Amino acid sequence: MMIIARNKVRNIDTFLKGGQERNDLFATAASSWQTFQDKDDPTSVVLAIEVTDMDKFVSILNAPANAEMSERHTVIRPIIISVPAASR
């Protein structure tokens, strides 16, 4: 299922450099993603993610053990997840 994740970052360049590390972390729950940056707000990012296991994805996203990586990638919470309206 395709989902959308939105959040702010403190530094877009640092965030973008962490893409492969995030890919590796979520590899068991997501098959691909694409990152977008808000045209008018360089600290706002949107990720279109093909999730293969939503429960596992959310578990990885919220795992305390992964908080350090989020901090290193300059992620600002909350991370807002949107799913297709038909899957509600």
Side-chain angles (χ1 to χ4, degrees):
M1 150 185 6
M2 180 64 66
I3 68 163
I4 302 297
R6 295 181 307 281
N7 63 278
K8 296 273 191 164
V9 296
R10 288 186 306 284
N11 184 293
I12 189 66
D13 293 326
T14 300
F15 178 78
L16 293 173
K17 288 177 187 169
Q20 185 59 53
E21 188 175 17
R22 287 187 301 279
N23 259 352
D24 295 345
L25 177 66
F26 287 96
T28 60
S31 60
S32 65
W33 62 28
Q34 189 171 9
T35 303
F36 298 85
Q37 180 182 25
D38 191 317
K39 181 180 173 301
D40 297 323
D41 181 356
T43 67
S44 180
V45 295
V46 174
L47 292 91
I49 306 167
E50 185 62 41
V51 173
T52 55
D53 185 329
M54 184 60 122
D55 291 336
K56 191 174 216 177
F57 180 84
V58 171
S59 177
I60 294 167
L61 184 65
N62 293 323
N66 299 323
E68 188 275 329
M69 181 177 18
S70 284
E71 180 63 27
R72 204 168 1 97
H73 292 186
T74 75
V75 171
I76 299 170
R77 291 194 176 249
I79 299 171
I80 300 165
I81 303 292
S82 297
V83 298
S87 67
R88 295 183 312 138

